[in-house]
Amino acid sequence: MTRFRSLHAAVALLSLTGCTGVAVNDSPGSRADYSNGDFEYATSLGAIVTRVAGNPFGIPADTFRDAVLRDMQGHARDGSGRFVAAPSEQTMPPYKVIVAFDMPAWVDGYALCRSAAALPAPVKKPGVTTVDMAFCFGDQLKSDASGRVSGAGSVDDPRFVDLVQRVTEALIPSREDAGPDVD
């Protein structure tokens, strides 16, 4: 009987730790509106404007935004461009990235691109943080990805950092997953 309880406890522990891992939703295959080189072109001046919405930890908005942007740096699949909060001579309008935390289930990449200035209020699920990201050309979706993690308690929690980094990597398709080359 003790052996059975030990096995049961081990299985329960494994299932709990599995729930705290990062899950990333990345559209497989070709993306119709994304072509190889789109992100490289969008960041060719050095950076891309990135809007961060939602704040699962209730810290000052600027502090949260800066932590998210910090975690995104260097994690686009091609490594190009910096993610920045404001337009400058290093950003190319109308390209942008929208990062939204704890959005309602109906909010997808298309909605992020079209409604970036007026996103709905976040819907917090206890113990779970979700993020949706969209790479946009104006109101047009080029690529998107999303993810979730359980148990992240702050912007410095390794689980939260991993969530942001892995979804950033998924946002920009690898050359095999992207659309055709445009010359």
Side-chain angles (χ1 to χ4, degrees):
M1 190 68 162
T2 305
R3 183 179 247 165
F4 176 76
R5 285 187 184 161
S6 296
L7 179 60
H8 187 345
V11 169
L13 182 60
L14 285 174
S15 66
L16 285 175
T17 58
C19 292
T20 62
V22 172
V24 176
N25 222 358
D26 181 13
S27 302
S30 182
R31 291 171 166 111
D33 291 329
Y34 186 89
S35 296
N36 281 321
D38 278 351
F39 191 76
E40 293 89 344
Y41 181 74
T43 59
S44 63
L45 298 176
I48 188 165
V49 172
T50 304
R51 179 169 185 267
V52 177
N55 183 342
F57 306 116
I59 62 176
D62 290 349
T63 302
F64 181 72
R65 179 202 63 219
D66 292 348
V68 171
L69 294 176
R70 173 200 68 212
D71 294 342
M72 293 176 73
Q73 303 309 325
H75 287 280
R77 282 195 174 137
D78 66 357
S80 67
R82 289 181 340 280
F83 298 93
V84 297
S88 72
E89 67 282 344
Q90 293 184 332
T91 60
M92 186 179 304
Y95 288 102
K96 62 189 174 192
V97 170
I98 309 299
V99 180
F101 289 87
D102 298 328
M103 288 289 108
W106 61 265
V107 175
D108 61 8
Y110 294 99
L112 291 177
C113 290
R114 286 190 309 269
S115 306
L119 290 172
V123 177
K124 185 69 178 148
K125 296 177 188 154
V128 176
T129 302
T130 64
V131 64
D132 296 280
M133 293 187 189
F135 168 47
C136 314
F137 179 78
D139 290 346
Q140 178 186 357
L141 176 66
K142 299 299 254 170
S143 178
D144 63 340
S146 62
R148 61 180 279 142
V149 67
S150 296
S154 74
V155 293
D156 296 320
D157 188 313
R159 292 171 289 201
F160 179 78
V161 173
D162 192 37
L163 172 69
V164 172
Q165 291 175 346
R166 289 183 52 198
V167 175
T168 302
E169 290 166 1
L171 178 63
I172 306 306
S174 67
R175 293 199 63 83
E176 305 84 54
D177 293 341
D181 285 322
V182 176
D183 292 323

